[in-house]
């Protein structure tokens, strides 16, 4: 399934900047950054549960915000992209 992970981490102090880097790294481990704090991730239910737990363990719920949108298995047809960054097929073939 395709999920969209968005976050807003308070970076007013050193700890916040560290949290921001850790949250971004965890998201990069599971998906593709499509905007500064927005990631598209293709996961199965077990991976989603693990990702959600790891992100919730990182954020400070009194200062930060985390949103996870489940776009489902047929989300590709529901996503429209306009603008400078090229759209990436997160379920397509990966060639090195």
């Amino acid at each position: 399934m395709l999920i969209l992970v968005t976050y807003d981490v308070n970076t007013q102090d050193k700890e916040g900047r560290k949290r921001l880097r850790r949250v971004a790294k965890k998201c990069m481990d599971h998906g593709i950054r499509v905007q500064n704090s927005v990631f598209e991730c293709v996961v199965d239910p077990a991976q989603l549960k693990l990702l959600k737990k790891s992100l919730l363990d990182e954020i400070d719920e009194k200062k930060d915000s985390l949103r996870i949108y489940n776009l489902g298995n047929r989300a590709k047809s529901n996503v429209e992209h306009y603008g400078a960054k090229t759209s990436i097929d997160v379920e397509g073939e990966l060639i090195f």
Side-chain angles (χ1 to χ4, degrees):
M1 76 185 88
L2 180 64
I3 63 168
L4 193 68
V5 178
T6 68
Y7 55 87
D8 186 15
V9 175
N10 183 312
T11 58
Q12 291 180 332
D13 59 21
K14 188 176 179 180
E15 277 305 308
R17 292 186 289 277
K18 286 181 182 179
R19 284 194 314 276
L20 176 66
R21 287 190 295 275
R22 290 191 307 259
V23 167
K25 180 164 180 0
K26 290 186 182 300
C27 289
M28 284 188 277
D29 289 345
H30 289 85
I32 297 170
R33 184 189 302 259
V34 293
Q35 292 186 358
N36 287 337
S37 296
V38 180
F39 285 80
E40 290 180 356
C41 308
V42 176
V43 295
D44 61 33
Q47 291 168 325
L48 174 58
K49 187 174 182 177
L50 290 173
L51 175 59
K52 188 185 304 185
K53 181 182 180 341
S54 70
L55 291 172
L56 289 172
D57 287 346
E58 291 296 341
I59 68 164
D60 180 339
E61 291 189 42
K62 293 179 182 171
K63 297 179 180 179
D64 308 330
S65 172
L66 172 69
R67 290 178 179 248
I68 300 173
Y69 299 88
N70 185 338
L71 302 177
N73 292 323
R74 298 182 182 201
K76 188 175 179 181
S77 62
N78 295 328
V79 176
E80 295 182 30
H81 174 261
Y82 306 97
K85 289 187 178 182
T86 56
S87 184
I88 298 171
D89 180 3
V90 294
E91 296 184 87
E93 291 184 26
L94 180 61
I95 301 172
F96 288 96

